[in-house]
Amino acid sequence: MLDNIIDFASYWWFRYLMVTELYMVEKWERVTIHVIFLTLFCIFWYFNYSVLLSFTGNLFGFVPDVLPGVKQGQGIKVT
Amino acid sequence: MGNLETDAAAPFEQSYATTNGNGKPANPAMEEEEDHETLMQRKFSAPAYTEIKTRKNAAKVSSAHRLKNIANGGYHPAKQLHLNGHAKTAVSDREFKSSQADGVLSPEQEHYQKSSFEEVPLHTACLTYLGFYLLMILGYINQLLFVPKVAKEKGRDGYVALYDAFESFYSRYVYRRIRDCWNRPICSVPGDELTLKDRVTNDYGWSFKFTGTQTRCLNLGSYNYLGFASSTGTCADNSEATARQLGLAYCSSRSELGETQLLADLERQTARYFGVEDAIVFGMGFATNALNLPSLLSPGCLVVSDEKNHASIILGLRLSGATIKVFKHNNMRDLDRVLRQAVVYGNPKAGGKPWKKIMIIVEGVFSMEGSIVRLPEVIALKKKYKAYLYLDEAHSVGAMGPNGGGVTDYFRADAKDVDILMGTFTKSFGSAGGYIAGSKKLIDFLRANSHAHCYASSISPPIAQQIYTSMRIIMGEDGTDIGRQKINQLARNARYFRKRLAQIGVITYGHEDSPVVPMLVYLFSKIGAVVRTLTTRHIAVVGAGFPATPIMEGRIRFCLSAAHTKEQLDYALDVIDEISDDFGLKYSRKPKDLNPIEY
Ligand SMILES: Cc1ncc(COP(=O)(O)O)c(C=O)c1O
């Protein structure tokens, strides 16, 4: 069972490496690219969370409650 | 050629007996498990090989299937003990359609009906570009952090770089990573099978070490269309006799001391082969294009050239100084447009005066695309606009047409409609060199003016003899029908292989009768993975990627040969089917023909 899952995961990991051309690069280069990917993702996420969300929230005058930490009126004032 | 084989025989038999590609001894009872393990480790231990994963269950099923197949006496390159290079001819000759255009539909409709082409799927295109940029970024980071392991020139301060910077960057940081898939040394005749000399790299392609082992592979990468590449048989024997009689080289050009009866005979034979007045032969195919085009064209001439033409043609055109206009690959509407504009507007540099001459340059079979030129339509256009036609038959001579006469034979066109018939002896004839055939006037002009004739040393006698003998065999002048059988076998192989690939669901390009079959895999990594995996399965193929193809169209190119048997092709196709599942190569979204394909 566990073997099967590991096999499945490693196979699809290999497929993922192949379509991103990471199969043919060295180990450390793979790590570097993934670190870059992750950093970019985090930056975007943070940007979306802190800026875009409150910005659009202000535009439409509402912020969903499900997002803690962003209070009504916080962020950039557009009016 | 021949003695390599005997040299290699002793160690090679030991090594190939131990591997059958699957990591299992061919005959477990005979081989020590340990030996085999160390051998495999030495051969395929690089991360590039160990990282390749397969769908487990699929792999199990198919390897079981394969073992059964081998036990039943099915074909496997590592098992066969016969020497390579023997052309094996077709088994039966029931109701066979030879390599010829049907001529029922109009040439245009027939072309579209018989050509396979599919647009690249959008997500694959995006991924290919993304991957390419990632490779570039990583290359730059790598170059920034580490000194490349290449020789450095010293004492050259203040000089500009001698080599193109991007080219060397590209070959160091993109090509180098999968460099083990190209320029692989072999140590046998490249017949239907060949013997690869194994090498490993421990530093991601910067350097290679020979392991001292060899791998016997099914050869799907040589332009050995008619299977004349052989170290035994009539051709080899005749060439050997000629070498003993006439020596190896004349060390002189033909206008001086290099002329012999053999070359004169060869030229006459070549002219007869195409049914034209005269022919001239040269020692190198590339130079035939590169050095003869400048003697036919000059500044003030217009050349209309297919965009996929070979590098030798492009070099020749640049050397000639003629104006070059490119038309879209095999696109007659575009060719018509370019010609019409050229005739209507004339030469803008000469104030709109007519061009000195207009020449259309196309190839018979395009070696990267596997497509066949639309000759009847090109000839019609050429006649309409009174342009000259230069046809490069490097890949089509011998391989196309019911008599092996090239695309003119295939389309039943009159060879005299093509003003300049050029081709090489390197492919179908299993030799080297090139020819130009045409009217006596043209050939006489070339004899007087061609740089390739006046300055190059003449063809070596054994090489000329190989061409001469194989040409006679193809024409049936040796009194056998071996030539005819070979041509039919190739036609049959090509069609069968293409149909089976279409059934598997991979994208192939080109015409159904062309012996060059490019299979699109798009990504560099996939080229590398496919070539490596096929090597472990004892199949040798050639990959082609940027810059030989557009970035988006990385491919594996299969070249079929008359020397291949159905069993060999079936073996290769089974393996390709399996790995295209594993690697996700089944891009095609066309409906598949599920009926069994008839050979
Ligand atoms: C279309 C075409 N012309 C010319 C040549 C050059 O021939 P050779 O390899 O004999 O120099 C080639 C070789 O691949 C070719 O494909």
Side-chain angles (χ1 to χ4, degrees), chain B residues 223 284-286 289 310 312 363 367 392 394-395 424 426-427 433:
Chain B
Y223 299 138
M284 180 179 168
F286 193 98
N289 275 331
H310 189 252
S312 57
E363 288 180 25
S367 60
D392 182 340
H395 291 268
T424 68
T426 318
K427 280 99 191 171

Side-chain angles (χ1 to χ4, degrees), chain B residues 63-240:
Chain B
S63 69
H65 168 75
R66 203 170 44 248
L67 286 180
K68 197 181 79 209
N69 224 353
I70 292 167
N72 289 347
Y75 171 81
H76 192 289
K79 208 184 71 172
Q80 234 75 354
L81 278 165
H82 68 76
L83 284 175
N84 70 353
H86 292 288
K88 289 174 256 30
T89 39
V91 242
S92 66
D93 227 39
R94 66 185 146 68
E95 190 214 327
F96 170 72
K97 186 172 152 289
S98 67
S99 160
Q100 191 162 35
D102 300 333
V104 180
L105 301 170
S106 78
E108 184 179 1
Q109 283 166 332
E110 184 167 345
H111 169 77
Y112 284 113
Q113 187 202 2
K114 291 193 170 179
S115 295
S116 65
F117 179 80
E118 254 182 278
E119 288 292 337
V120 37
L122 184 66
H123 64 278
T124 316
C126 297
L127 281 173
T128 312
Y129 270 107
L130 176 79
F132 189 73
Y133 291 131
L134 282 184
L135 282 179
M136 288 288 145
I137 295 169
L138 280 174
Y140 277 111
I141 297 177
N142 201 329
Q143 197 177 28
L144 216 67
L145 296 181
F146 300 98
V147 183
K149 294 179 198 167
V150 290
K152 275 258 154 37
E153 270 191 293
K154 295 205 180 70
R156 286 273 179 185
D157 300 331
Y159 283 72
V160 294
L162 187 52
Y163 311 107
D164 185 333
F166 180 75
E167 229 164 72
S168 58
F169 169 79
Y170 185 83
S171 60
R172 279 175 202 166
Y173 291 101
V174 180
Y175 171 66
R176 185 253 310 160
R177 301 176 194 274
I178 42 175
R179 196 156 69 104
D180 56 319
C181 301
W182 279 277
N183 297 330
R184 292 184 287 176
I186 64 171
C187 40
S188 74
V189 187
D192 59 335
E193 294 179 357
L194 54 69
T195 307
L196 280 181
K197 195 164 165 57
D198 296 326
R199 49 178 193 179
V200 290
T201 170
N202 296 320
D203 49 4
Y204 295 92
W206 288 110
S207 66
F208 289 99
K209 266 200 322 246
F210 287 118
T211 58
T213 57
Q214 285 151 341
T215 311
R216 187 85 179 154
C217 286
L218 173 62
N219 179 9
L220 289 177
S222 293
Y223 299 138
N224 177 23
Y225 297 127
L226 291 181
F228 279 114
S230 159
S231 57
T232 51
T234 329
C235 287
D237 295 345
N238 284 1
S239 300
E240 187 185 341

Side-chain angles (χ1 to χ4, degrees), chain B residues 252-284:
Chain B
S252 174
S253 79
R254 287 187 58 195
S255 26
E256 288 165 0
L257 305 172
E259 180 70 353
T260 57
Q261 188 57 42
L262 179 58
L263 292 180
D265 288 347
L266 178 60
E267 289 184 341
R268 223 166 309 128
Q269 185 81 13
T270 310
R272 213 138 41 85
Y273 188 90
F274 296 103
V276 292
E277 289 170 10
D278 206 352
I280 180 172
V281 296
F282 305 93
M284 180 179 168

Side-chain angles (χ1 to χ4, degrees), chain B residues 55 74 125 179 198 223-224 269 333 399 454 469 500 513 515 541:
Chain B
R55 280 178 223 257
R179 196 156 69 104
D198 296 326
Y223 299 138
N224 177 23
Q269 185 81 13
R333 207 165 293 160
C454 302
T469 319
R500 281 282 308 267
D513 282 324
V541 294

Side-chain angles (χ1 to χ4, degrees), chain A residues 7 11 21 23 26 29-30, chain B residues 48 56 142 177 525 582:
Chain A
D7 275 340
Y11 170 69
E21 303 281 22
Y23 157 69
E26 293 165 42
E29 289 173 311
R30 261 178 224 172
Chain B
K56 192 108 185 283
N142 201 329
R177 301 176 194 274
S525 294
D582 282 340

Side-chain angles (χ1 to χ4, degrees), chain B residues 37 95 103 106 118 149 170 192 245 247 251-252 269 277 317 377 397 431 485 511 528 539:
Chain B
E37 283 296 304
E95 190 214 327
S106 78
E118 254 182 278
K149 294 179 198 167
Y170 185 83
D192 59 335
Q245 190 195 342
C251 310
S252 174
Q269 185 81 13
E277 289 170 10
L317 293 181
E377 293 159 86
V397 61
S431 188
Q485 281 178 9
H511 194 282
I539 299 173

